[in-house]
PDB file of all heavy atoms in Angstrom:
ATOM      1  N   SER X 324      15.052  22.723 -10.108  1.00 97.00           N
ATOM      2  CA  SER X 324      13.928  22.359  -9.300  1.00 97.00           C
ATOM      3  C   SER X 324      14.315  22.159  -7.805  1.00 97.00           C
ATOM      4  O   SER X 324      13.582  22.574  -6.875  1.00 97.00           O
ATOM      5  CB  SER X 324      13.192  21.159  -9.831  1.00 97.00           C
ATOM      6  OG  SER X 324      14.066  20.023  -9.888  1.00 97.00           O
ATOM      7  N   PHE X 325      15.529  21.587  -7.554  1.00 98.00           N
ATOM      8  CA  PHE X 325      16.018  21.501  -6.203  1.00 98.00           C
ATOM      9  C   PHE X 325      16.239  22.897  -5.568  1.00 98.00           C
ATOM     10  O   PHE X 325      15.891  23.120  -4.421  1.00 98.00           O
ATOM     11  CB  PHE X 325      17.301  20.612  -6.171  1.00 98.00           C
ATOM     12  CG  PHE X 325      18.006  20.750  -4.820  1.00 98.00           C
ATOM     13  CD1 PHE X 325      17.517  20.142  -3.670  1.00 98.00           C
ATOM     14  CD2 PHE X 325      19.197  21.459  -4.708  1.00 98.00           C
ATOM     15  CE1 PHE X 325      18.213  20.251  -2.507  1.00 98.00           C
ATOM     16  CE2 PHE X 325      19.871  21.640  -3.546  1.00 98.00           C
ATOM     17  CZ  PHE X 325      19.386  21.012  -2.385  1.00 98.00           C
ATOM     18  N   GLN X 326      16.902  23.727  -6.332  1.00 98.00           N
ATOM     19  CA  GLN X 326      17.142  25.058  -5.782  1.00 98.00           C
ATOM     20  C   GLN X 326      15.811  25.864  -5.407  1.00 98.00           C
ATOM     21  O   GLN X 326      15.811  26.575  -4.419  1.00 98.00           O
ATOM     22  CB  GLN X 326      17.958  25.922  -6.777  1.00 98.00           C
ATOM     23  CG  GLN X 326      19.452  25.399  -6.854  1.00 98.00           C
ATOM     24  CD  GLN X 326      20.152  25.995  -8.134  1.00 98.00           C
ATOM     25  OE1 GLN X 326      19.529  26.364  -9.072  1.00 98.00           O
ATOM     26  NE2 GLN X 326      21.474  25.993  -8.019  1.00 98.00           N
ATOM     27  N   ALA X 327      14.853  25.531  -6.089  1.00 97.00           N
ATOM     28  CA  ALA X 327      13.518  26.259  -5.844  1.00 97.00           C
ATOM     29  C   ALA X 327      12.807  25.726  -4.533  1.00 97.00           C
ATOM     30  O   ALA X 327      12.099  26.489  -3.858  1.00 97.00           O
ATOM     31  CB  ALA X 327      12.597  25.976  -6.996  1.00 97.00           C
ATOM     32  N   ILE X 328      13.241  24.619  -4.040  1.00 98.00           N
ATOM     33  CA  ILE X 328      12.568  24.007  -2.794  1.00 98.00           C
ATOM     34  C   ILE X 328      13.463  23.713  -1.718  1.00 98.00           C
ATOM     35  O   ILE X 328      13.079  23.242  -0.676  1.00 98.00           O
ATOM     36  CB  ILE X 328      11.775  22.735  -3.167  1.00 98.00           C
ATOM     37  CG1 ILE X 328      12.712  21.606  -3.608  1.00 98.00           C
ATOM     38  CG2 ILE X 328      10.660  22.984  -4.198  1.00 98.00           C
ATOM     39  CD1 ILE X 328      12.107  20.283  -3.718  1.00 98.00           C
ATOM     40  N   VAL X 329      14.756  24.056  -1.874  1.00 98.00           N
ATOM     41  CA  VAL X 329      15.762  23.588  -0.850  1.00 98.00           C
ATOM     42  C   VAL X 329      15.430  23.985   0.547  1.00 98.00           C
ATOM     43  O   VAL X 329      15.721  23.240   1.505  1.00 98.00           O
ATOM     44  CB  VAL X 329      17.258  24.094  -1.269  1.00 98.00           C
ATOM     45  CG1 VAL X 329      17.336  25.566  -1.203  1.00 98.00           C
ATOM     46  CG2 VAL X 329      18.310  23.409  -0.415  1.00 98.00           C
ATOM     47  N   GLY X 330      14.764  25.177   0.751  1.00 98.00           N
ATOM     48  CA  GLY X 330      14.461  25.509   2.097  1.00 98.00           C
ATOM     49  C   GLY X 330      13.343  24.605   2.761  1.00 98.00           C
ATOM     50  O   GLY X 330      13.182  24.800   3.947  1.00 98.00           O
ATOM     51  N   LYS X 331      12.776  23.766   2.037  1.00 98.00           N
ATOM     52  CA  LYS X 331      11.741  22.890   2.548  1.00 98.00           C
ATOM     53  C   LYS X 331      12.133  21.512   2.711  1.00 98.00           C
ATOM     54  O   LYS X 331      11.365  20.561   3.022  1.00 98.00           O
ATOM     55  CB  LYS X 331      10.457  23.075   1.695  1.00 98.00           C
ATOM     56  CG  LYS X 331      10.024  24.484   1.675  1.00 98.00           C
ATOM     57  CD  LYS X 331       8.872  24.723   0.734  1.00 98.00           C
ATOM     58  CE  LYS X 331       8.665  26.195   0.658  1.00 98.00           C
ATOM     59  NZ  LYS X 331       7.380  26.590   0.098  1.00 98.00           N
ATOM     60  N   VAL X 332      13.445  21.221   2.266  1.00 98.00           N
ATOM     61  CA  VAL X 332      13.924  19.832   2.229  1.00 98.00           C
ATOM     62  C   VAL X 332      14.544  19.442   3.620  1.00 98.00           C
ATOM     63  O   VAL X 332      15.312  20.204   4.188  1.00 98.00           O
ATOM     64  CB  VAL X 332      14.914  19.671   1.078  1.00 98.00           C
ATOM     65  CG1 VAL X 332      15.662  18.289   1.138  1.00 98.00           C
ATOM     66  CG2 VAL X 332      14.370  19.999  -0.275  1.00 98.00           C
ATOM     67  N   GLY X 333      14.087  18.278   4.127  1.00 98.00           N
ATOM     68  CA  GLY X 333      14.546  17.796   5.321  1.00 98.00           C
ATOM     69  C   GLY X 333      15.494  16.531   5.177  1.00 98.00           C
ATOM     70  O   GLY X 333      16.164  16.224   5.982  1.00 98.00           O
ATOM     71  N   HIS X 334      15.588  15.989   3.957  1.00 98.00           N
ATOM     72  CA  HIS X 334      16.436  14.883   3.639  1.00 98.00           C
ATOM     73  C   HIS X 334      16.482  14.694   2.142  1.00 98.00           C
ATOM     74  O   HIS X 334      15.546  15.059   1.379  1.00 98.00           O
ATOM     75  CB  HIS X 334      15.956  13.614   4.292  1.00 98.00           C
ATOM     76  CG  HIS X 334      16.809  12.482   4.021  1.00 98.00           C
ATOM     77  ND1 HIS X 334      18.159  12.360   4.630  1.00 98.00           N
ATOM     78  CD2 HIS X 334      16.781  11.322   3.287  1.00 98.00           C
ATOM     79  CE1 HIS X 334      18.834  11.261   4.208  1.00 98.00           C
ATOM     80  NE2 HIS X 334      17.952  10.629   3.434  1.00 98.00           N
ATOM     81  N   LEU X 335      17.730  14.331   1.663  1.00 98.00           N
ATOM     82  CA  LEU X 335      17.885  14.154   0.230  1.00 98.00           C
ATOM     83  C   LEU X 335      18.348  12.713  -0.066  1.00 98.00           C
ATOM     84  O   LEU X 335      19.029  12.085   0.767  1.00 98.00           O
ATOM     85  CB  LEU X 335      19.100  15.045  -0.268  1.00 98.00           C
ATOM     86  CG  LEU X 335      18.864  16.514  -0.454  1.00 98.00           C
ATOM     87  CD1 LEU X 335      20.179  17.208  -0.859  1.00 98.00           C
ATOM     88  CD2 LEU X 335      17.895  16.699  -1.499  1.00 98.00           C
ATOM     89  N   GLN X 336      17.899  12.233  -1.153  1.00 96.00           N
ATOM     90  CA  GLN X 336      18.270  10.857  -1.592  1.00 96.00           C
ATOM     91  C   GLN X 336      18.700  10.971  -3.091  1.00 96.00           C
ATOM     92  O   GLN X 336      18.116  11.745  -3.859  1.00 96.00           O
ATOM     93  CB  GLN X 336      17.121   9.844  -1.523  1.00 96.00           C
ATOM     94  CG  GLN X 336      16.758   9.511  -0.032  1.00 96.00           C
ATOM     95  CD  GLN X 336      15.585   8.579   0.036  1.00 96.00           C
ATOM     96  OE1 GLN X 336      14.913   8.555   0.934  1.00 96.00           O
ATOM     97  NE2 GLN X 336      15.404   7.727  -0.959  1.00 96.00           N
ATOM     98  N   VAL X 337      19.534  10.038  -3.510  1.00 95.00           N
ATOM     99  CA  VAL X 337      19.986   9.929  -4.900  1.00 95.00           C
ATOM    100  C   VAL X 337      19.998   8.443  -5.284  1.00 95.00           C
ATOM    101  O   VAL X 337      20.659   7.643  -4.666  1.00 95.00           O
ATOM    102  CB  VAL X 337      21.383  10.527  -5.134  1.00 95.00           C
ATOM    103  CG1 VAL X 337      21.736  10.346  -6.578  1.00 95.00           C
ATOM    104  CG2 VAL X 337      21.468  11.978  -4.744  1.00 95.00           C
ATOM    105  N   GLY X 338      19.235   8.134  -6.296  1.00 93.00           N
ATOM    106  CA  GLY X 338      19.382   6.896  -7.039  1.00 93.00           C
ATOM    107  C   GLY X 338      19.482   7.274  -8.527  1.00 93.00           C
ATOM    108  O   GLY X 338      19.038   8.454  -8.794  1.00 93.00           O
TER     109      GLY X 338
END
Side-chain angles (χ1 to χ4, degrees):
S324 61
F325 166 71
Q326 289 168 335
I328 65 168
V329 66
K331 300 172 185 196
V332 172
H334 183 67
L335 285 174
Q336 290 178 208
V337 177

